[in-house]
Amino acid sequence: MVERPQGVVPDAIDFSNAAFPFTASTTRGIFVGAQRLHWHHALELNHIRSGTGFILINGMKLSFQEGDIVFINSNALHRAYETDNLIMDVIMFDPSLLSLDLKFDPELMNPFRSLGMVDRESPVRPEMARLLTSMMEEHRAQGTSYMSLIRSDLIRFLSLANRHLSAPLAEDRPIKGRGMHALKEVLRTMELHLDYGWTLKELSDMTHLSPSRFSALFQQAVGTSPHHYLIQLRLTHAVHLLETTDAKIIEIAQSCGFRNLSNFNRLFKQHIGASPSVIRERASVGSSLPRLSHSAEKQ
C-alpha cells in the first residue's frame, strides 16, 4: 500500500539574496527536467526571445512566439513545450518584493491573476521588452543600486501590463479551486512513488472523481494522459540517475517503475531520442542535457 505524502509541496526557488527575492536567467529550449508539471510560490515572467512553443497554465493552453510575454501566477500548475528553436528569458520574484507598492496600487498584480498577454500590436510592447532586458542586465551585472533599478523597472513593467492587458489567448478555460488542489496531490504522489504500478482507478480515487472525469481533467491540465505523463516522469528520473549515479541500467529501470529492461530501453529511446548508455556517456563528458521528443509531448 502506497502512503500518501503529508502535503502538496511546491518547487523551491533559490533566491541567492533572501533580502531581494528576485532571479533572472536565459534558457535555450525546454529540457527534460523542466517539462514536468510544477508550481511554486514565486511569480514568473517568460519573455520569448526567439522560436515558438506553448505553455499549459492551470489547464489553459497558451501558444507563444518571438516577442511574447507570459505571466505565470503564484501556485499555478504549469509546464512548457518548445516547438522550434526556443530561447527565452525567465524572471522570477517573490510577491513580497512589491508588498509596499501594493498599498498604493492593489491592482499591480492583475496581469498574473488574469493569465493574459499584452496584445502583439500594442504600442507599449517594445517598452515592456526594453524593461525586461534592463532587469536582466541589472541582475547580471549587480552594479551600484541595481536592486532599486530592478524594482523601478518591474513596477513600471507591471503597470504598463496592467493598463494594456488583453484577454487571455487560450484554447481552454482554467481549472480552478478543488480540481487544481486535487491534481496537485495526485501529481505529487506520482512523483514520490514512481516505482509503483499506478492504475487509473487508484489515481482517480484520490480526487473522488470517476476515472473518465479524472482523465479529462488531467488531460486538460497536463496536456497528456495520466499513463503517458507517468512514463515521462519515470524517464526524467531515469535520466537524472544515469547522469548522477553509477547504478546499473537495469537497477535504474526497476527503481523507476519499469519491470522489463527491453521495454525501458524502447521507451527511453522513443521519448529521449537516445539510449540509456548514450546518455550516461554524454554525462561523463559534460554534453548538454536531453529533451523529451515532441512526439512524446503530444501524447
Side-chain angles (χ1 to χ4, degrees):
M1 180 66 180
V2 174
E3 297 179 359
R4 287 191 187 180
Q6 295 300 309
V8 185
V9 182
D11 282 6
I13 306 302
D14 182 19
F15 295 116
S16 56
N17 184 349
F20 190 70
F22 178 99
T23 186
S25 61
T26 300
T27 67
R28 293 179 177 271
I30 308 292
F31 295 106
V32 171
Q35 290 185 7
R36 50 178 279 277
L37 200 68
H38 61 285
W39 63 291
H40 40 69
H41 295 314
L43 297 163
E44 181 175 348
L45 292 166
N46 295 162
H47 179 217
I48 312 305
R49 283 196 187 183
S50 64
T52 59
F54 62 90
I55 188 168
L56 287 163
I57 307 176
N58 288 348
M60 285 203 321
K61 184 178 179 180
L62 295 165
S63 298
F64 53 71
Q65 63 187 42
E66 182 175 345
D68 280 341
I69 299 164
V70 182
F71 298 86
I72 304 174
N73 202 10
S74 299
N75 306 322
L77 276 171
H78 58 283
R79 67 189 303 215
Y81 295 115
E82 171 191 15
T83 53
D84 183 49
N85 298 319
L86 179 64
I87 301 177
M88 66 178 177
D89 293 332
V90 179
I91 287 177
M92 304 182 76
F93 63 96
D94 191 272
S96 63
L97 186 67
L98 301 180
S99 57
L100 292 177
D101 306 280
L102 289 172
K103 293 174 59 178
F104 303 102
D105 186 0
E107 298 180 348
L108 192 61
M109 300 300 187
N110 275 356
F112 293 101
R113 289 190 283 268
S114 62
L115 298 176
M117 296 173 68
V118 175
D119 193 301
R120 288 170 180 163
E121 303 302 321
S122 171
V124 301
R125 195 175 175 195
E127 170 67 3
M128 294 180 67
R130 184 195 68 78
L131 290 167
L132 284 168
T133 300
S134 175
M135 286 186 275
M136 295 288 297
E137 292 174 350
E138 288 294 339
H139 183 264
R140 188 179 302 114
Q142 297 195 5
T144 303
S145 300
Y146 81 95
M147 290 182 284
S148 296
L149 289 170
I150 287 175
R151 281 191 75 258
S152 63
D153 283 344
L154 183 58
I155 292 168
R156 179 165 177 78
F157 172 87
L158 291 175
S159 300
L160 289 172
N162 193 31
R163 177 176 290 181
H164 296 275
L165 191 71
S166 65
L169 302 177
E171 300 174 11
D172 307 286
R173 292 184 178 181
I175 302 169
K176 297 181 179 179
R178 294 175 60 187
M180 289 309 302
H181 181 78
L183 281 175
K184 286 178 181 178
E185 183 174 353
V186 169
L187 292 163
R188 181 63 179 169
T189 304
M190 291 170 70
E191 288 188 9
L192 290 176
H193 304 286
L194 291 176
D195 60 338
Y196 184 74
W198 292 106
T199 66
L200 179 61
K201 187 175 187 310
E202 286 173 320
L203 294 172
S204 62
D205 282 348
M206 291 186 218
T207 63
H208 305 290
L209 296 172
S210 68
S212 60
R213 174 58 184 147
F214 168 74
S215 291
L217 189 68
F218 195 98
Q219 179 79 37
Q220 179 184 349
V222 185
T224 190
S225 69
H227 172 70
H228 283 109
Y229 185 66
L230 182 58
I231 289 175
Q232 291 176 16
L233 286 178
R234 287 171 169 171
L235 292 175
T236 297
H237 189 53
V239 169
H240 172 72
L241 294 177
L242 286 165
E243 293 174 335
T244 60
T245 74
D246 294 324
K248 295 179 180 179
I249 291 177
I250 190 170
E251 294 172 346
I252 290 175
Q254 291 173 345
S255 69
C256 293
F258 296 96
R259 304 291 178 255
N260 183 293
L261 183 59
S262 62
N263 187 49
F264 169 70
N265 287 330
R266 178 182 63 81
L267 288 169
F268 195 98
K269 190 166 185 179
Q270 175 187 338
H271 288 252
I272 305 300
S275 68
S277 58
V278 168
I279 295 301
R280 174 158 277 173
E281 290 172 5
R282 288 180 185 174
S284 66
V285 296
S287 297
S288 61
L289 295 172
R291 307 173 189 178
L292 284 173
S293 68
H294 190 53
S295 62
E297 295 161 4
K298 295 187 289 185
Q299 292 179 341

